[in-house]
Amino acid sequence: MINLPNGEFLDLKINELMIPSERVAHVQIGNNLEHALLVLTKSGYTAIPVLDPHYKLHGLISTPIIMDSILGLERIEFEQLEQKHVEEVMKKTIPRVKTTASIDVCLELLINQPFLCVETDDEVFAGILPRSTVLERIDKIVKRFKQIQQ
Ligand code: AMP
């Protein structure tokens, strides 16, 4: 077992680890599924946040959700991409944390999520906390601690 330096990881702040909102690919309420699929495909991400013009977070939209929503009985109904809007099909119950949340709360949520949406106390979307960023930081701390022990 590896003992981490006392408190070092738990002292980390979400603000220091998250990808800020201006660098997060997203779609807006009112966008149709064709636009959402375009953003998802161009960005290479499987799921992205759905925001309103005031940067309030409403849900997540993903390629599997979109494909499932246009699946007909005998064929994929691509013409529906233009007619349907993200708010009709997006996932509304999503993992979200406040910028002030402690990192151990995030760790527990990240066991089952590739990323968490981060909001300010006023419920404005602040960014996302990807699991990979947190793991990268833990990896660095573990390696540094192993060096100190040698
Ligand atoms: P990663 O760990 O970097 O592969 O990210 C995991 C997931 O977080 C991705 O599949 C996306 O759904 C989401 N994600 C990461 N970075 C961004 C970003 N800049 N904009 C939107 N979504 C992102």
Side-chain angles (χ1 to χ4, degrees):
M1 194 172 110
I2 299 166
N3 292 312
L4 294 177
N6 200 11
E8 187 172 12
F9 178 72
L10 293 179
D11 273 350
L12 290 179
K13 302 280 182 292
I14 294 177
N15 270 332
E16 297 163 6
L17 290 171
M18 71 176 187
I19 299 177
S21 56
E22 61 271 18
R23 284 179 34 217
V24 176
H26 69 273
V27 289
Q28 281 210 357
I29 291 279
N31 287 157
N32 65 18
L33 296 190
E34 187 176 20
H35 177 77
L37 197 56
L38 202 74
V39 177
L40 283 159
T41 308
K42 283 261 179 201
S43 66
Y45 299 126
T46 41
I48 52 173
V50 180
L51 308 178
D52 68 18
H54 306 290
Y55 259 62
K56 194 173 177 315
L57 177 66
H58 288 260
L60 288 180
I61 189 82
S62 67
T63 307
I65 288 177
I66 293 177
M67 293 314 287
D68 190 57
S69 75
I70 60 166
L71 208 60
L73 282 180
E74 288 179 0
R75 63 180 193 91
I76 300 173
E77 297 166 353
F78 287 107
E79 64 279 9
Q80 288 202 48
L81 285 176
E82 210 184 329
Q83 292 148 16
K84 286 190 173 171
H85 294 92
V86 285
E87 60 272 26
E88 295 169 48
V89 300
M90 69 187 179
K91 192 170 174 243
K92 291 178 184 151
T93 311
I94 57 170
R96 24 172 119 207
V97 290
K98 294 273 194 258
T99 42
T100 47
S102 68
I103 202 76
D104 43 332
V105 169
C106 299
L107 273 183
E108 199 175 338
L109 289 169
L110 282 170
I111 292 172
N112 294 314
Q113 314 292 337
F115 68 95
L116 305 177
C117 291
V118 185
E119 294 172 301
T120 64
D121 284 339
D122 314 335
E123 301 193 342
V124 174
F125 177 68
I128 60 167
L129 183 65
R131 180 160 60 196
S132 57
T133 311
V134 178
L135 280 175
E136 209 177 322
R137 185 60 70 93
I138 299 176
D139 181 52
K140 273 193 190 140
I141 292 172
V142 171
K143 284 192 175 126
R144 195 163 63 234
F145 190 64
K146 277 176 89 176
Q147 269 177 355
I148 294 168
Q149 281 194 322
Q150 279 166 8

